[in-house]
Amino acid sequence: MSRRQMHLAAHFPGVNNTTVWADPESRSQIEFSSFEHLARTAERGLFDFFFLAEGLRLREHKGRIHDLDVVGRPESITVLNALAAVTERLGLAATVNATFNEPYELARRFATLDHLSGGRAAWNVVTSSDAFTGENFRRGGYLDRAERYTRASEFLDTARELWDSWTADGIPRPFAHRGRHFDIAGEFTLPRSPQGHPVVIQAGDSDEGREFAASAADVIFTRQSSLEDGRAFYADVKRRLARYGRAPGDLKIMPGVGVVLGDTAAEAQERAAEIRRQQTSPQTALLTLEQIWGVDLSSYDPDGPLPDIDPVVDPALTQGRTRRGGTIAIAEKWRALSKEKGLSIRETVIEAGGRHFFTGTPEAVADQLDEHVQREAADGFILVPHLTPGGLDEFVDRVVPLLQERGAFRTEYRGTTLRSHLGLPAPVSKG
């Protein structure tokens, strides 16, 4: 049996507490040199793509702008168009919201990026039912949660109709879409791009998100904390593909993970523990807990026990941040973890709320990554470094060569488009 090949991508951390801001190596999150450094490192490591998140409004907590958001949030596709000029093979993925955009305009922007980059564009489709964010947009501030994926599905279908409206030999044809959310007609301004359609990414672990990914996405960006969880998620999502006439290889499952290296296992574990402490300060621990409990917890000691009161659903406390699941369920899970291990508030947030780290020597980390792929817990990984922009350097220098030696990762790019890197079939034009 041939060895399963690993896919790798790089996520630019953006505005969150992933970045260890106190580290002297931490640089700007908005200057182009930071984006360029991380992208060039990812391409040197032969990664599939470089991935940017999105922020449509500065988040607020207790009526104040979230501290980390004051560094600013640039528009992703603009940044990627610039990166297309300083990279040659690396895929360029932007997160863009399907709730607060329109198909024609967004299809043009992604088709333009695909042309400028020679077929390396990708769109991470996200949705929002957040009225707070929606206040920034003319169409109004609210879309019922149940409508999010309905609109997103029709949005993506409409964009694909636009991309397909030119023939392969460059002849434009009129398009017309009449649907529940969109009623548009006209002519698209760009011929079919090098990939046909940009690669589509879906981020989310919910049941509706899994179904949307199975029906329409090429990559799913997910978050699992163990090999067992990864295998269960992988099997569930891959099983859904058949009902849409798709093969298992048509959708790549790529969890977002961190990597911490050391010359010894003990050194790596100590370094990982320190990074987690730096990522979750006492203030950050209380803020995280307040987002779940929905009440002011400033009187609580971060090094003391979890609150003995139940969460209150209070959307006004934190604005512009997505909650992962129901607050009651999360609180119960965290209380059980705290009781089982005797953890304080800060320790609980660190253990329960953090991204999964692969930790150890370069050899041990290569083993862990490879095991997840070979045992079908993932098709690859989106690495989220704790430093910007140099957080990938050590991984590319010390781990990638080991993956290549064992035949688990490419030694050169064999194609020019992102679809070729991911081994995805060319889209069939429905025009």
Side-chain angles (χ1 to χ4, degrees):
M1 180 182 293
S2 61
R3 191 174 199 82
R4 281 167 48 82
Q5 293 294 292
M6 185 181 304
H7 295 282
L8 292 174
H11 185 280
F12 190 88
V15 286
N16 49 45
N17 67 305
T18 297
T19 300
V20 177
W21 295 89
D23 193 296
E25 295 299 315
S26 179
R27 297 290 184 263
S28 171
Q29 304 271 322
I30 194 170
E31 291 179 5
F32 181 68
S33 59
S34 291
F35 296 107
E36 182 180 15
H37 182 107
L38 196 66
R40 285 186 182 274
T41 302
E43 186 163 73
R44 178 165 61 86
L46 304 177
F47 281 36
D48 293 58
F49 60 89
F50 174 91
F51 185 36
L52 287 175
E54 179 185 60
L56 295 179
R57 180 166 179 175
L58 299 182
R59 296 165 294 181
E60 294 182 10
H61 185 69
K62 298 179 183 177
R64 296 179 60 248
I65 300 254
H66 189 298
D67 289 348
L68 296 179
D69 276 19
V70 299
V71 304
R73 291 185 163 203
E75 196 279 318
S76 296
I77 297 181
T78 304
V79 174
L80 296 182
N81 279 323
L83 289 177
V86 297
T87 55
E88 296 180 356
R89 299 292 183 91
L90 184 69
L92 303 168
T95 304
V96 183
N97 199 298
T99 306
F100 302 120
N101 284 283
E102 297 299 321
Y104 185 89
E105 191 269 343
L106 195 57
R108 280 185 81 218
R109 290 167 63 200
F110 272 110
T112 299
L113 175 60
D114 209 46
H115 277 289
L116 291 178
S117 65
R120 298 185 280 137
W123 173 21
N124 178 37
V125 183
V126 295
T127 65
S128 176
S129 58
D130 178 14
F132 173 78
T133 300
E135 290 175 358
N136 275 354
F137 295 86
R138 182 177 58 83
R139 66 171 294 273
Y142 185 74
L143 181 68
D144 188 86
R145 182 179 179 86
E147 291 290 311
R148 291 186 311 156
Y149 282 104
T150 302
R151 177 184 167 92
S153 180
E154 186 179 340
F155 193 120
L156 182 54
D157 287 344
T158 307
R160 284 172 167 159
E161 290 171 24
L162 295 168
W163 292 326
D164 284 342
S165 66
W166 285 58
T167 65
D169 53 356
I171 299 174
R173 294 167 300 180
F175 70 85
H177 178 92
R178 313 294 184 195
R180 178 177 177 182
H181 291 276
F182 308 107
D183 186 350
I184 59 175
E187 293 179 348
F188 196 54
T189 60
L190 285 170
R192 196 167 174 83
S193 67
Q195 292 188 107
H197 301 168
V199 167
V200 170
I201 304 171
Q202 202 292 345
D205 299 337
S206 68
D207 186 73
E208 57 190 354
R210 297 182 193 200
E211 200 65 24
F212 180 59
S215 67
D218 301 305
V219 176
I220 183 167
F221 178 31
T222 181
R223 184 173 179 169
Q224 276 77 53
S225 59
S226 69
L227 178 67
E228 293 72 23
D229 288 345
R231 283 174 55 84
F233 181 89
Y234 190 98
D236 176 63
V237 174
K238 295 283 186 173
R239 187 164 49 239
R240 298 174 188 236
L241 291 165
R243 73 185 66 167
Y244 301 102
R246 306 181 69 197
D250 291 347
L251 175 66
K252 308 301 180 185
I253 297 176
M254 299 181 68
V257 300
V259 169
V260 180
L261 302 176
D263 291 332
T264 65
E267 178 187 321
Q269 291 293 341
E270 182 179 347
R271 188 180 178 196
E274 178 59 23
I275 289 170
R276 288 196 184 280
R277 284 193 295 272
Q278 290 177 312
Q279 289 175 326
T280 308
S281 66
Q283 295 83 357
T284 297
L286 284 178
L287 182 148
T288 303
L289 212 67
E290 287 175 339
Q291 291 166 0
I292 296 171
W293 259 256
V295 295
D296 186 337
L297 300 174
S298 56
S299 62
Y300 282 75
D301 181 1
D303 295 318
L306 266 64
D308 56 6
I309 59 175
D310 290 329
V312 174
V313 178
D314 180 15
L317 189 73
T318 299
Q319 300 275 28
R321 180 181 287 271
T322 302
R323 291 185 176 91
R324 294 173 55 83
T327 56
I328 299 293
I330 295 174
E332 290 177 352
K333 180 179 178 181
W334 285 24
R335 279 172 170 161
L337 176 65
S338 176
K339 182 178 180 180
E340 176 189 352
K341 298 190 176 183
L343 303 178
S344 67
I345 288 175
R346 187 181 182 193
E347 290 168 337
T348 302
V349 172
I350 288 172
E351 180 146 343
R355 190 176 301 279
H356 178 57
F357 277 0
F358 287 99
T359 303
T361 64
E363 293 79 7
V365 167
D367 286 341
Q368 295 168 47
L369 295 171
D370 191 32
E371 180 184 21
H372 274 67
V373 173
Q374 302 310 320
R375 295 190 61 190
E376 298 188 337
D379 292 308
F381 305 93
I382 297 176
L383 270 62
V384 186
H386 67 277
L387 283 180
T388 303
L392 280 183
D393 295 4
E394 190 176 18
F395 180 88
V396 168
D397 292 336
R398 303 186 68 186
V399 179
V400 167
L402 298 175
L403 295 172
Q404 292 169 330
E405 286 175 8
R406 67 180 60 196
F409 188 64
R410 66 171 64 93
T411 56
E412 61 180 347
Y413 286 117
R414 299 189 181 277
T416 59
T417 70
L418 178 53
R419 285 188 178 276
S420 66
H421 304 341
L422 291 167
L424 294 171
V428 177
S429 175
K430 297 179 181 179

